[in-house]
Amino acid sequence: MSELTFSIQNKSSADTKVILASGSAFNAGKFINTDETTALKNAVRKQKFDGKAGSFAEINNGKTRIILAGTGSKPSALDLQILGGKLYKKISAAENAAIYLPADKKNSLSADETAAALALGMELGGYRFDKYFTKKPADSFPKLEKVDFVSETRADGSLLADAGALANAVRYARDLCNEPANNLTPEIYAADIERLDYLGIDVTVLNEDKIHDLGMDMLLSVAKGSVNAPRVAVLQWKGRKDQKEFDIGLVGKGVTFDSGGISLKPAANMGDMKGDMTGSAVVVAAIKAAALQKLPVNVVGVVGLVENMPSGSATRPGDIVRSMSGQTVEVVNTDAEGRLVLGDCLWYIQEKFGVKTIVDIATLTGSTMMTFGFEYAGLFANDDKLAARLIECGEITGEKLWRLPVNADYDKLIDSDVADIKNTGPRLAGGITAACFLQRFIKNGVKWAHLDIAGVDKDDKGHPLTPKGATAFGVRVLDTLLKKLA
Ligand code: BES
Ligand code: MN
Ligand code: ZN
């Protein structure tokens, strides 16, 4: 589906009309005529419309369809995004629609903020991954292309561009995550990321030789079993030209397919592991969003792109590898590969760019998925302020985070008998010991947070803002964080 076009107009000729209302009374000025107003008032009574968030009433005289959409009182931006997602479903069969934003003094959001939230919700809720259908009839696809907002109060649509930029980035990340691994090898993926230089993002791709020269043997040990060579992509967005340092570094796990390697995963749902690159897609998309919005922030992203496969050349359980940091690692289980990729990327971003604040994001452990189900991502951090900030970003965006400990009590569980570190602890507390592993690659004085998005990276049931499939969980959290730093 192509993206929607949004604008703010004085009036609209669309024959699908939507009116927002916070209670059973509504106000639509000249947006609809007196006959329509009377009919709509009848519908409110008959359809028991009360204006609660997500409640609807509607009339349809064959020519014009008019929908009352309940916002509830004092909706937040997130509430309106969710309403936008629901509204999209209702009106996507029309080619264009108009949404009337009545002046409501009780509302805490301006008309511009309301329009932007609804637009974002419609874009996210309207996402589809349908490129591989060859037989579906054309009329089974949504038609909606153009949405006009009609506002009673002054509004210039200035926030619509930012909503569009963020939606574009989330949709890009979802496309990458939904793409099957045969069509998104590390090489193809890196080439796709390189195209972002049209936005003023500086993209460098490190190939296998370069990765080898840098001493990232821990990352290479994951790629060894695959015929698809690894890549590391480095993205720099400098929105603050007068400042040399980076405000933040982002690191993402980009395992394009995780079979488990020689420690092979069971067959059931193994296909889901095409999404094991979600963290990397989230990092790339957050930087894309920053560039599209020209955020005044300096951000560098490093994503490790590898495929984890079993073969005669694959790393074996028991192998010992040397990380870029110089620390040696005993690979107890080749299915604990994400931390091997991230550890070298974390070290690289600190060495090369001297970043003092880092957030990494990864579909890292089944353990964290078992803990939180599909509700929260696990948050681990060595800095309370950074953790609190991220939690706040999660509350604003609806991408909820919950903090778990990462400390010496758990860290000792990954001491190895034959090397400096082993890549798995005992089965218990698997999400925490994975975070401890990553922390061994964080230099003193560097503020660091790790988001484990295993579980929340996909949605099997669908949600107003995330249809079934990849959610790209984290793009909105990181976008909000970057805006706070800007
Ligand atoms: N990519 C998986 C984690 C995962 C599981 C993501 C389910 C999404 C859904 C990761 O590489 C992995 O296999 N982790 C193992 C680690 C274990 C071997 C210590 C796990 O969590 O089972
Ligand atoms: Mn794995
Ligand atoms: Zn994995």
Side-chain angles (χ1 to χ4, degrees), residues 36-366:
E36 290 167 339
T37 304
T38 310
L40 197 55
K41 278 186 178 157
N42 285 331
V44 164
R45 239 182 302 112
K46 282 204 197 111
Q47 297 171 29
K48 298 196 171 67
F49 177 79
D50 55 10
K52 280 217 182 77
S55 63
F56 295 97
E58 73 171 272
I59 57 171
N60 190 343
N61 64 14
K63 208 170 80 51
T64 309
R65 182 180 179 208
I66 302 172
I67 300 168
L68 263 183
T71 62
S73 68
K74 286 202 182 17
S76 67
L78 179 58
D79 294 334
L80 290 175
Q81 288 167 24
I82 291 168
L83 178 62
K86 290 179 178 160
L87 202 51
Y88 177 85
K89 275 218 181 85
K90 276 190 118 46
I91 63 178
S92 60
E95 277 169 23
N96 55 333
I99 303 180
Y100 187 72
L101 313 173
D104 187 342
K105 293 202 181 57
K106 283 176 288 176
N107 270 352
S108 32
L109 298 177
S110 69
D112 276 316
E113 288 168 327
T114 303
L118 288 169
L120 179 60
M122 294 178 82
E123 286 272 15
L124 298 184
Y127 173 82
R128 295 284 177 284
F129 184 72
D130 50 22
K131 64 187 271 199
Y132 288 108
F133 293 122
T134 65
K135 295 205 170 78
K136 267 199 175 179
D139 64 4
S140 68
F141 293 98
K143 290 191 196 58
L144 189 61
E145 285 193 352
K146 194 168 159 300
V147 178
D148 304 326
F149 291 102
V150 177
S151 174
E152 261 190 3
T153 54
R154 256 177 55 115
D156 57 14
S158 53
L159 300 174
L160 284 176
D162 282 0
L166 179 54
N168 173 301
V170 173
R171 296 163 65 101
Y172 173 56
R174 287 180 184 170
D175 279 346
L176 289 169
C177 298
N178 284 321
E179 196 63 50
N182 58 327
N183 291 336
L184 196 80
T185 61
E187 186 186 354
I188 298 172
Y189 190 2
D192 208 277
I193 296 171
E194 259 176 336
R195 297 189 313 164
L196 293 175
D197 67 2
Y198 82 94
L199 292 170
I201 300 170
D202 179 67
V203 186
T204 319
V205 172
L206 313 179
N207 63 18
E208 194 169 10
D209 288 344
K210 183 78 200 176
I211 297 169
H212 179 76
D213 291 347
L214 285 164
M216 302 172 91
D217 287 359
M218 188 164 65
L219 180 149
L220 285 176
S221 75
V222 178
K224 270 176 66 187
S226 172
V227 295
N228 296 308
R231 294 286 187 276
V232 171
V234 182
L235 301 87
Q236 302 177 59
W237 166 250
K238 288 191 165 153
R240 270 191 190 127
K241 295 265 181 306
D242 54 337
Q243 177 191 301
K244 275 186 73 185
E245 299 81 43
F246 284 97
D247 299 294
I248 190 164
L250 303 175
V251 171
K253 170 179 175 181
V255 175
T256 57
F257 187 72
D258 180 12
S259 67
I262 296 297
S263 313
L264 195 65
K265 286 182 182 295
N269 302 319
M270 201 203 274
D272 283 352
M273 286 300 123
K274 71 173 182 175
D276 209 20
M277 35 54 69
T278 301
S280 65
V282 168
V283 165
V284 171
I287 293 174
K288 184 183 190 193
L292 281 168
Q293 298 169 95
K294 300 206 162 43
L295 290 187
V297 63
N298 287 358
V299 52
V300 53
V302 172
V303 290
L305 315 179
V306 301
E307 184 174 56
N308 186 22
M309 295 292 262
S311 78
S313 63
T315 293
R316 317 150 190 82
D319 284 2
I320 297 175
V321 298
R322 180 182 294 272
S323 67
M324 186 186 175
S325 74
Q327 300 175 93
T328 54
V329 175
E330 178 194 5
V331 181
V332 172
N333 188 321
T334 64
D335 197 11
E337 85 297 341
R339 62 199 77 183
L340 304 177
V341 174
L342 290 170
D344 273 343
C345 291
L346 287 166
W347 194 259
Y348 175 77
I349 204 170
Q350 292 168 99
E351 283 279 292
K352 172 93 182 166
F353 299 101
V355 289
K356 293 285 174 272
T357 304
I358 302 178
V359 178
D360 80 66
I361 179 159
T363 47
L364 203 62
T365 66

